[in-house]
Amino acid sequence: MANPSFRVDVHHVTRVEGHGNIVVDVQNGELKQCDLEIVETPRFFEAMLKGRPYGEASHISSRICGICAVGHATASLRATEKALGVEPSEQTVLLRKLNFHGEMLDSHILHAYMLVAPDCLGVGSVIPLAKAAPDVVMRALRMKKLSGDLCAAICGRHTHPIAMTVGGFTHFPTTAQLQELRDRLVAMRSDVDATVELFQKLKLPAFERETEYIALHKDDEYCFIDGKLVSTDGGEWPIEKYRLVTNEFLVPHSTAKRTKNQRQSYMVGALARFNVNHAQLHPRAKEAARALNLAPKAVNPYLNTVAQVVEIVHCVEDAIELADRLIKTGLTWRAPVQPPKLSGEGTGACEVPRGTLFHNYVIQDGWISGANCIIPTGQNLANIEADMRSLVPTILDKGQSEITLALEMLVRAYDPCISCSTHLLEVRFE
């Protein structure tokens, strides 16, 4: 078909969190419209934080997401601690990192096995996959169970943690619990190896587009909490300068803001972290990347899932090492560090499963008077649309169902958390 005309109208995209539509209009071979519509209602979490005591912020903001609850709680705590001059103990830092690995594993396993693998295996969802390949689904559930147990032991429960607080924790796992979790993580290596073998066999679309990748970075570790912002286009920024990087703007067809930095869009998430921080990966994760033919700078957005598989390997190995350190030093009860002041402004940043998350708070006399949260999916939306606009002209020789599937797979590759990204209003506190 030399000059095709067709319209793709996916309402709503399935196997993503939240509601988004794909609208593509091609007339006589010319791309007239190519939008990723975000139709979620704004969430108003920043307004909910207004007038609340600083100690409630992490519990309120963790409700932004049922998947990245630990990530939101951690970013919130770091923003509050920086505002009030709190320095967490080394034990708190280690426990937060271990906790973070539990959430990262849980989310990546969910996305790779239950949201992406069905497309590659030619089934509509994980339900028929459970019948066609029960061992694959049972492996995923087994790994997710351990991830949830890890979070529950450290922060009371995975979804919406209750034991994380400013300056520390209100609950600690016992050494025996840590030892048991550590042993289960070691035993999980066979499932991790099987995951790498599975994704070696799955075929993902061979689409590439040069873009800017941004992630948190530390020289001495594969960074998920704190660090500095680094771009593959060059440039470094302290977390406090996050607005110079995000540059939010609005488009008519979205209730979520978009962002841009040195180009018209940029990407955050596992592929961005891999491109920025591959040198800091655990050796077993580097070995997995080589087995999966993933090398920096990878510019195929579909490979975001492959980068997540590499991070699964890294998180398991780093979690084992963190558990060893905590067991060796001896986990002891420590009261949360109290703030030396009750007013200030602070910014927390974490690498949650879908990318860089920012929380910024202004606190006056212990009460929150200003808040700004920028969510990873909001940062990826402009880049997804740019990918769609680049992809469609290359697949016009395909049937409409194939084009629709390719676009849905592209959106799913970003692992979007659409309802978390709705961040439309400019909230003013007076």
Side-chain angles (χ1 to χ4, degrees), residues 46 61 64 71-72 75-76 79 214-216 227-230 237-248 259 266 268 346-352 355-361 371-376 379 423:
E46 289 136 321
S61 60
I64 293 174
H72 277 283
S76 173
I214 294 176
L216 293 174
K228 60 186 176 184
L229 291 160
V230 170
W237 300 264
I239 288 170
E240 288 71 22
K241 300 292 185 184
Y242 72 99
R243 284 187 173 92
L244 295 178
V245 175
T246 52
N247 302 298
E248 290 182 299
T259 61
Y266 64 84
V268 295
T347 303
C350 296
E351 286 290 335
V352 293
T356 316
L357 167 68
F358 302 99
H359 281 227
N360 170 267
Y361 301 152
N372 186 29
C373 303
I374 299 182
I375 313 301
Q379 295 170 70
H423 175 79

Side-chain angles (χ1 to χ4, degrees), residues 109-400:
I109 293 162
L110 168 69
H111 183 244
Y113 272 92
M114 300 181 184
L115 305 184
V116 170
D119 283 329
C120 301
L121 297 170
V123 295
S125 74
V126 73
I127 303 301
L129 183 60
K131 186 175 182 180
D135 56 324
V136 172
V137 176
M138 288 303 297
R139 183 195 309 142
L141 293 175
R142 194 162 54 238
M143 297 167 74
K144 274 180 61 62
K145 175 71 166 61
L146 174 53
S147 307
D149 290 347
L150 182 59
C151 290
I154 297 172
C155 61
R157 62 187 184 192
H158 172 213
T159 305
H160 311 319
I162 54 177
M164 302 172 70
T165 191
V166 175
F169 287 84
T170 59
H171 158 87
F172 295 89
T174 65
T175 301
Q177 282 178 303
L178 272 184
Q179 185 64 55
E180 184 210 353
L181 289 165
R182 188 258 183 210
D183 294 344
R184 288 172 64 190
L185 285 164
V186 171
M188 184 174 164
R189 280 173 172 158
S190 59
D191 284 339
V192 172
D193 291 343
T195 302
V196 174
E197 291 172 10
L198 172 66
F199 277 83
Q200 283 179 290
K201 300 172 186 172
L202 299 186
K203 186 176 181 181
L204 293 166
F207 164 73
E208 294 186 336
R209 185 181 70 84
E210 267 285 341
T211 192
E212 180 180 12
Y213 297 89
I214 294 176
L216 293 174
H217 172 81
K218 290 180 182 176
D219 292 337
D220 59 350
E221 67 176 78
Y222 193 84
C223 175
F224 290 113
I225 303 173
D226 297 335
K228 60 186 176 184
L229 291 160
V230 170
S231 166
T232 53
D233 281 2
E236 300 179 358
W237 300 264
I239 288 170
E240 288 71 22
K241 300 292 185 184
Y242 72 99
R243 284 187 173 92
L244 295 178
V245 175
T246 52
N247 302 298
E248 290 182 299
F249 63 97
L250 292 168
V251 294
H253 55 279
S254 172
T255 56
K257 291 178 180 178
R258 311 293 168 98
T259 61
K260 60 183 177 181
N261 186 31
Q262 299 178 81
R263 307 188 192 198
Q264 292 304 305
S265 65
Y266 64 84
M267 182 175 182
V268 295
L271 190 60
R273 288 190 291 267
F274 176 82
N275 282 330
V276 171
N277 297 319
H278 57 277
Q280 285 75 30
L281 281 167
H282 189 279
R284 281 180 61 93
K286 289 180 179 176
E287 185 181 331
R290 285 191 291 271
L292 291 161
N293 292 318
L294 185 68
K297 175 183 176 185
V299 295
N300 178 347
Y302 291 97
L303 295 181
N304 190 52
T305 308
V306 176
Q308 290 179 334
V309 172
V310 171
E311 287 192 338
I312 288 172
V313 180
H314 175 86
C315 288
V316 168
E317 295 304 322
D318 200 49
I320 292 169
E321 293 181 1
L322 287 167
D324 283 340
R325 288 178 64 183
L326 287 161
I327 292 168
K328 183 178 180 180
T329 56
L331 201 59
T332 57
W333 164 264
R334 290 182 186 174
V337 178
Q338 295 302 301
K341 58 180 182 176
L342 291 176
S343 298
E345 179 175 357
T347 303
C350 296
E351 286 290 335
V352 293
R354 288 148 195 84
T356 316
L357 167 68
F358 302 99
H359 281 227
N360 170 267
Y361 301 152
V362 178
I363 302 174
Q364 295 179 340
D365 299 324
W367 300 81
I368 296 173
S369 60
N372 186 29
C373 303
I374 299 182
I375 313 301
T377 294
Q379 295 170 70
N380 277 333
L381 291 174
N383 212 62
I384 298 174
E385 274 191 347
D387 281 346
M388 289 167 55
R389 285 193 293 271
S390 179
L391 173 65
V392 170
T394 69
I395 55 176
L396 289 178
D397 59 327
K398 308 290 184 185
Q400 187 166 338

